[in-house]
Amino acid sequence: MLRISDDIAIEDWEITESFMRASGPGGQNVNKVSTAVELRFEAERSPALPDPIKSRLKRLAGRRWTKEGAIVIQCDETRSQTRNREIARQRLAALIAKALVKPKRRIATKPTYGSVKRRLAAKKARGEVKALRGKVGEE
């Protein structure tokens, strides 16, 4: 079980892990041992997550979210399979924890009277500077 918060926990049956050979340095180890992990969490079908959290999770996951509604996380950072498993689970937990935070609604504000006046005065001064750049007329 992967505990995210006090009221949300992901059961082990919701997560599937597959192992493959990692790329990069590691000598003979890299050719023999399947150390890289691909963690798949069926987020769309998860009973642990409410719908608003699922929609925020979908937006946060980006291209890690599949068409079937699963989140796929890959990790091949270390040469240890168990460590890669832990890192992938931590990444999933961090992603879900980030989706739990409800974003604040932005309150539209009006610019102050003084700031509008200052902006318009600056625009007028800049326009006058540019107007003086023209060719000097013949007299």
Side-chain angles (χ1 to χ4, degrees):
M1 185 188 311
L2 184 65
R3 184 154 294 285
I4 310 298
S5 68
D6 294 335
D7 51 340
I8 294 182
I10 307 300
E11 297 295 331
D12 287 332
W13 63 267
E14 297 178 78
I15 297 172
T16 54
E17 293 167 333
S18 58
F19 302 98
M20 63 214 105
R21 287 194 287 258
S23 61
Q28 290 179 351
N29 194 53
V30 100
N31 300 324
K32 290 196 242 172
V33 185
S34 297
T35 55
V37 66
E38 183 182 86
L39 184 141
R40 188 178 178 91
F41 169 57
E42 300 294 335
E44 194 69 50
R45 297 186 302 183
S46 176
L49 300 176
D51 287 335
I53 293 174
K54 285 180 188 175
S55 61
R56 284 197 294 267
L57 189 59
K58 183 176 182 177
R59 193 180 70 245
L60 286 170
R63 31 179 264 242
R64 291 175 291 191
W65 186 275
T66 64
K67 289 177 185 173
E68 298 85 41
I71 294 175
V72 178
I73 296 175
Q74 293 177 332
C75 181
D76 62 350
E77 287 179 17
T78 68
R79 289 173 64 178
S80 164
Q81 190 184 74
T82 53
R83 185 70 188 113
N84 282 337
R85 251 181 104 197
E86 288 171 14
I87 292 170
R89 283 173 170 260
Q90 286 170 0
R91 285 183 188 167
L92 177 66
L95 191 67
I96 295 171
K98 197 172 179 184
L100 292 178
V101 178
K102 190 175 178 183
K104 288 183 181 177
R105 282 188 56 129
R106 186 186 176 279
I107 299 167
T109 57
K110 225 172 156 184
T112 61
Y113 181 76
S115 69
V116 172
K117 286 286 182 193
R118 284 190 299 275
R119 184 180 65 85
L120 292 176
K123 279 171 67 88
K124 191 160 190 72
R126 189 79 188 129
E128 288 169 1
V129 166
K130 287 184 173 188
L132 293 172
R133 290 184 187 160
K135 287 189 177 181
V136 178
E138 292 181 23
E139 292 179 24

